[in-house]
Amino acid sequence: MRVSGFTFLRNGQMLGYPFTQSIRSILPIVDEFVIALGPCEDETEAMIAAIYDPKIRIVHTQWNEAMKDRGYVYGQQKMIAQFNCSGDWAFYLEADEVVHEQDLGKIVAAMERYKDDERVEALLFDYIHFYGNANSYLDSPGWYRRAPRIIKNSIRSYAPDGLFWLVLASNKIGRYPYAALTGATMYHYGWVRSEEQMNLKSQKVQKYWNKEHSAIDYSQIDPSIIKEFTGTHPEVMRDWLPKAEGLFKADPNHVLTKRERKHRWMKRLEELFGLELSKKHYKLVR
């Protein structure tokens, strides 16, 4: 079994992504790691080189600055990387996603188990979305709780906006992949970086969705969805995580948005009826 890891990246250092930690977290279980690297204004490429691992292969790319429709340029970059993967499985990581070393065995076992199972096209991860600091995560149906991050490299798939895959079961109609659980967790750290870096990211990328940047203030969030994290972080993250104590404190006077009110009601329905109402970009088969 051959496994390809892949991602796309641009200005990772400037925008505060833990991209070297992300890459390093799965290097022990992949045969290659492909990076579609766009034009950078910082030391991102030098930082990748400093990992100094022969499994890493950089594909230099250009970004279509005229593409402003629903983040499709992200899908283009993701697929450039995936199309350069040679493994039986293609393991996608976003630059702020990290795998815990304790889960590597589970992931390998799942890939081996389902490699020849035609019912399974992708493999799922449970998600922890950290927010504000390393001690806090978000529990809300507004934040997806599971997502596919490994897909068979032998099926016709593409990513329309970079976030999720569609499988071309016919020439014209895409559907979400049929997926099985890995039993592993994806640690998402995008909302732990500084507000300054998050706002800089927004200033640079909102144009790809044909949107204007609006200031991001971490305190402006529904405080009821912030929960305490009591587990351990991946070893590769120990030196990256900002030091903090206690739960992240949201603004107690924050006025809930229409979307947040909707998610509160969805959360109540989940608790009353044992439902799981978060977004699902997959069809669970195993």
Side-chain angles (χ1 to χ4, degrees), residues 10-11 41 63-74 200-214:
R10 184 179 185 184
N11 290 325
E41 308 160 65
W63 284 44
N64 181 357
E65 302 297 339
M67 175 56 72
K68 303 182 186 300
D69 188 5
R70 290 165 288 182
Y72 189 64
V73 69
Y74 275 45
L200 179 58
K201 175 204 170 187
S202 178
Q203 291 166 17
K204 285 186 171 292
V205 308
Q206 284 299 321
K207 63 182 181 180
Y208 298 119
W209 281 263
N210 202 25
K211 295 179 180 179
E212 297 292 330
H213 162 70
S214 58

Side-chain angles (χ1 to χ4, degrees), residues 22-267:
S22 175
I23 295 166
R24 286 167 51 209
S25 74
I26 67 165
L27 278 178
I29 63 170
V30 301
D31 297 285
E32 63 177 353
F33 197 105
V34 179
I35 303 168
L37 185 63
C40 294
E41 308 160 65
D42 60 7
E43 297 301 311
T44 295
E45 185 165 2
M47 292 172 68
I48 295 170
I51 299 173
Y52 201 67
D53 193 303
K55 294 179 182 179
I56 295 174
R57 177 159 51 91
I58 292 176
V59 178
H60 291 97
T61 68
Q62 292 298 318
W63 284 44
N64 181 357
E65 302 297 339
M67 175 56 72
K68 303 182 186 300
D69 188 5
R70 290 165 288 182
Y72 189 64
V73 69
Y74 275 45
Q76 291 174 326
Q77 294 298 312
K78 177 178 176 179
M79 297 319 298
I80 289 171
Q82 184 174 332
F83 290 160
N84 277 274
C85 291
S86 62
D88 301 297
W89 294 101
F91 191 162
Y92 173 59
L93 283 180
E94 301 205 339
D96 54 12
E97 295 177 341
V98 179
V99 172
H100 202 297
E101 63 276 4
Q102 69 187 10
D103 282 339
L104 295 179
K106 295 178 185 176
I107 298 167
V108 171
M111 288 189 290
E112 291 175 339
R113 183 182 311 124
Y114 296 115
K115 176 180 175 293
D116 298 316
D117 188 336
E118 294 184 356
R119 297 168 296 177
V120 176
E121 298 167 330
L123 298 175
L124 294 174
F125 287 79
D126 296 314
Y127 263 75
I128 300 177
H129 300 283
F130 293 98
Y131 190 89
N133 65 32
N135 308 317
S136 310
Y137 72 95
L138 302 182
D139 181 13
S140 164
W143 294 71
Y144 54 89
R145 297 193 178 103
R146 283 177 177 164
R149 279 294 180 263
I150 303 176
I151 197 161
K152 282 182 177 170
N153 211 24
S154 56
I155 65 172
R156 301 170 70 209
S157 65
Y158 75 104
D161 65 0
L163 179 63
F164 58 88
W165 279 294
L166 292 179
V167 172
L168 287 174
S170 71
N171 284 336
K172 296 181 180 179
I173 301 174
R175 58 163 172 77
Y176 293 144
Y178 296 121
L181 297 171
T182 60
T185 300
M186 191 65 72
Y187 291 62
H188 177 212
Y189 291 101
W191 290 86
V192 179
R193 75 185 107 179
S194 71
E195 283 187 3
E196 180 183 8
Q197 289 169 323
M198 183 61 86
N199 277 286
L200 179 58
K201 175 204 170 187
S202 178
Q203 291 166 17
K204 285 186 171 292
V205 308
Q206 284 299 321
K207 63 182 181 180
Y208 298 119
W209 281 263
N210 202 25
K211 295 179 180 179
E212 297 292 330
H213 162 70
S214 58
I216 296 169
D217 180 346
Y218 284 0
S219 72
Q220 299 306 301
I221 192 171
D222 180 357
S224 73
I225 71 172
I226 302 176
K227 308 298 182 183
E228 182 181 5
F229 177 68
T230 58
T232 63
H233 290 276
E235 186 64 33
V236 293
M237 294 300 295
R238 297 293 169 85
D239 294 331
W240 183 89
L241 287 168
K243 299 295 185 290
E245 294 185 6
L247 205 64
F248 177 79
K249 301 298 183 184
D251 180 356
N253 299 314
H254 171 63
V255 178
L256 295 181
T257 65
K258 181 179 179 180
R259 187 169 180 265
E260 287 173 329
R261 291 196 300 271
K262 171 188 171 183
H263 291 149
R264 270 201 182 183
W265 278 108
M266 291 170 66
K267 179 67 172 171

